[in-house]
Amino acid sequence: MGVLISAQGLSKSMSHKVLFSKLDLTVEDGERLGIIGPNGAGKTTLLKILASHETSDDGMVSRKKNLKLSYVIQQPELDPDKNVLETLQLAGEREGLSADVATVESQKMASRLGFEDPYQEAGRLSGGWKKRLAIGAALMGAPDLVLFDEPTNHLDLRSVLWLEGFLREAPFAWVVVSHDRLFLDRTAKKILEINPMY
């Protein structure tokens, strides 16, 4: 299996508090990795470092050449006036798809996500459907690796069960930060615990 991303000796502090120190992590093709730890341990910060949204104080991150990586944040940032198809189409175009290809792919993605009305505005969706749309938008560029930050937060049971099935069948590698141990037990193949006591 090929290595998609590798981190060696990562350290990060905030406001004189050490979040983690000398952390090593490797993510390979087909990875299903869950990250757990107490609040304030730096789980979200680690994802941001892996996604190049933040830098570490020490250590290094190596990525496979031309790695396509997507990051799904806890609270989806969606344009409330754009409908489902428009949101997906714009995401596809940002990933380099032509307008015509993005149109076709957005329709396929809306169906895959289970949207019965793809013309519904994002601002009118429930929390669970907004999360689905955010996930779909992140997948429009066919990423090799997706990072999810607390994807089950504020989801109802139906949405959690959908997400479990979606991740189990995913064609991409993924890393999930979650406090939901049952969810991770049902989806992840490996668990990394970040805890200052270690």
Side-chain angles (χ1 to χ4, degrees), residues 34 36 164 168 174 178 180-191:
I36 61 173
E164 287 179 1
R168 282 196 295 265
W174 52 258
S178 181
D180 189 336
R181 293 301 295 265
L182 180 59
F183 170 76
L184 290 177
D185 286 345
R186 290 177 170 176
T187 56
K189 293 182 179 175
K190 290 197 298 190
I191 299 289

Side-chain angles (χ1 to χ4, degrees), residues 82-163:
K82 292 278 191 295
N83 67 36
V84 171
L85 288 178
E86 289 170 333
T87 300
L88 295 172
Q89 167 128 11
L90 287 171
E93 291 178 11
R94 278 196 300 269
E95 291 296 329
L97 301 181
S98 69
D100 289 343
V101 172
T103 297
V104 173
E105 292 303 316
S106 64
Q107 291 167 346
K108 289 181 184 176
M109 183 61 73
S111 176
R112 182 179 170 197
L113 296 170
F115 282 98
E116 294 181 0
D117 179 10
Y119 297 98
Q120 190 171 12
E121 292 177 347
R124 297 179 177 273
L125 298 174
S126 68
W129 287 99
K130 284 180 181 175
K131 187 63 66 81
R132 286 197 201 201
L133 182 53
I135 291 170
L139 300 183
M140 286 298 290
D144 306 306
L145 171 63
V146 182
L147 310 177
F148 295 93
D149 193 1
E150 298 285 1
T152 61
N153 271 9
H154 312 301
L155 295 190
D156 58 21
L157 180 59
R158 177 185 174 195
S159 296
V160 171
L161 292 175
W162 171 84
L163 183 58

Side-chain angles (χ1 to χ4, degrees), residues 10-13 18-23 41-42 45-46 49 194:
L10 292 187
S11 298
K12 185 69 175 182
S13 299
V18 176
L19 297 179
F20 46 81
S21 180
K22 297 179 179 155
L23 186 149
T45 300
L46 174 60
I49 292 170
I194 300 178

